Amino acid sequence: MWNPTLTVSERSLVLASIHGATPQAGFATAPTPPPPPPGPPPVVLTTTMIRAAPAEAVGEGSVGEEVFIDDHDIINEISLDEEDLPDQDDDDDQDEDMMDEVEDHSAYAFHGHADEVFAAACSPVDASLVVSGGKDDRGFLWSIGSAENVQELTGHKDTVSTVAFSSDGKLVACGSMDGQINVWNTATRTLQRTLEGSESGLEWLKWHPRLHFIIAGSEDFNIWMWNADLSSFGNTFAGHSNTVTCGDFTPDGKLICSGSDDATLRIWDLKTAQCRHVVRGHGYHTQGLTCLAITWDSQSIVSGSQDSSVHIVSINSGKVVGSLVGHTNSVECIGISPSELHPRSVRYNRVATGSIDRTLIIRDLTHQAIRSICEHDDGVTCLAWIGSSRYVASGCMDGIVRIWDSLSGELACMLSGHRDVVRSPAVSADGNSIVSVSSDKSARVFDISMFK
């Protein structure tokens, strides 16, 4: 078998090729070895084991200094057959096999979307009805467990970024980055209204808690409001100086609260569109707001920011009345548990916050005290309280939905099936199912009836 003798420089090149590196400065390029004899002998690479430098020599010299290997540094030579070397295609196949082996706990999966899915919502009256929207510029109205009862919600020219049902479940709205909202009748499955005004992308939309009014936050720095029954434009709430990233009606339906990338929170009068309070500056967020939640009594706002901070603001005074420390990275989601003032209430006055720092923190909202820190394997992107129970679900960048006991902080269940980031979890009206969507192009339904 042909096995040419390698010089020290040649051995260094072989070592470099095996480890995917290039020769360091100071190694000369080896001359071309003599051609092998006729015939197809197997290719054999000879690698060299090199004696390590003494411990006291480690760290000597400057970066980029030439290093030379002498014959006395060589301990042994090992012959490697080319077939033994790792193949990149094999690695790729192994990665795909690992993806195929993801355990799927879902009871049903919807695969109508052709690209990433960003938003989902469950009907408040029909426990099987779901709406979803995604990067493929489409929305879908579909039923859990039925592959036939699917309605494509067409008409958009850009990503469907936000979806929501009206409080009575009769209408469903899809908002898009094309600046348009399409409103559909859930009974007839027909397009009822197209709401226009903003020519910029819509970040979110919310229905009034009782009326068919819709508000939406836009990249044009404004909040827009429409009457979906009349297809009429209501008001523009102007004042932010950057994208309006989050917002909602107060549960009593009298005010609007909005947060922006301009690091401010604004509280608006619904009828006059006048800004009552602007919350900013010292003692508040220093970077853009990412999320907010409003207490059921319409008295307080809890807001989260890219700067890792969480603050509580009084709606009446517009003052910061509490700061909830604990996160070390961007806060992506906030959810407040039902309280005794909520129609389907229990006495769990908790607020949960999720962050890219891989934690979900559950606090007692009354005393502003941490009750549990729930650790994840990757960043937390979204959360949802499960009805009026003590359980809260978190969605994670690792593709897993986790169910946590808010009283003990214990992990109650892990629901896998997604292969990419989980977004927008929504709980069905009967509390038996949770729907989550993902960058893997799917929407999945998990049974959570044991946590009601």
Side-chain angles (χ1 to χ4, degrees), residues 118-351:
F118 293 135
C122 291
S123 167
V125 296
D126 183 343
S128 67
L129 193 59
V130 180
V131 63
S132 58
K135 193 177 179 180
D136 57 3
D137 306 348
R138 297 186 295 173
F140 284 96
L141 196 62
W142 50 277
S143 292
I144 296 173
S146 173
E148 285 74 35
N149 191 19
V150 176
Q151 172 74 36
E152 182 177 349
L153 308 179
T154 59
H156 289 293
K157 300 177 182 178
D158 206 336
T159 297
V160 177
S161 52
T162 176
V163 296
F165 285 93
S166 60
S167 60
D168 57 11
K170 294 180 179 180
L171 301 175
V172 64
C174 295
S176 170
M177 298 307 289
D178 62 13
Q180 177 178 295
I181 295 175
N182 287 339
V183 180
W184 299 78
N185 185 301
T186 57
T188 62
R189 304 293 179 95
T190 57
L191 179 64
Q192 180 161 315
R193 300 282 186 269
T194 295
L195 308 178
E196 298 177 319
S198 174
E199 297 182 354
S200 300
L202 300 178
E203 294 280 314
W204 53 270
L205 69 82
K206 299 287 183 179
W207 288 89
H208 189 276
R210 291 178 298 279
L211 307 175
H212 284 172
F213 289 176
I214 296 176
I215 56 171
S218 173
E219 291 182 335
D220 66 6
F221 310 169
N222 298 318
I223 302 106
W224 297 77
M225 186 172 74
W226 299 265
N227 184 327
D229 287 332
L230 304 177
S231 191
S232 62
F233 171 71
N235 269 318
T236 303
F237 300 81
H240 284 297
S241 59
N242 210 326
T243 300
V244 185
T245 53
C246 52
D248 204 349
F249 291 98
T250 53
D252 62 12
K254 297 178 180 179
L255 302 172
I256 294 171
C257 305
S258 62
S260 168
D261 267 338
D262 64 11
T264 70
L265 173 74
R266 288 178 177 262
I267 302 171
W268 310 84
D269 185 280
L270 179 62
K271 294 181 179 180
T272 66
Q274 295 300 307
C275 182
R276 288 192 176 185
H277 301 293
V278 181
V279 187
R280 61 185 167 197
H282 181 70
Y284 198 56
H285 302 299
T286 59
Q287 296 182 37
L289 276 68
T290 53
C291 50
L292 64 79
I294 305 171
T295 56
W296 297 110
D297 59 5
S298 300
Q299 295 299 305
S300 302
I301 306 164
V302 185
S303 59
S305 168
Q306 299 171 25
D307 65 8
S308 79
S309 65
V310 178
H311 295 291
I312 303 174
V313 175
S314 166
I315 291 179
N316 290 330
S317 69
K319 303 294 184 182
V320 176
V321 295
S323 296
L324 309 179
V325 299
H327 288 300
T328 59
N329 207 328
S330 177
V331 178
E332 296 297 301
C333 49
I334 295 176
I336 297 174
S337 69
S339 72
E340 63 269 19
L341 297 176
H342 189 251
R344 296 182 302 166
S345 65
V346 289
R347 296 178 181 273
Y348 303 132
N349 197 18
R350 299 280 192 267
V351 59

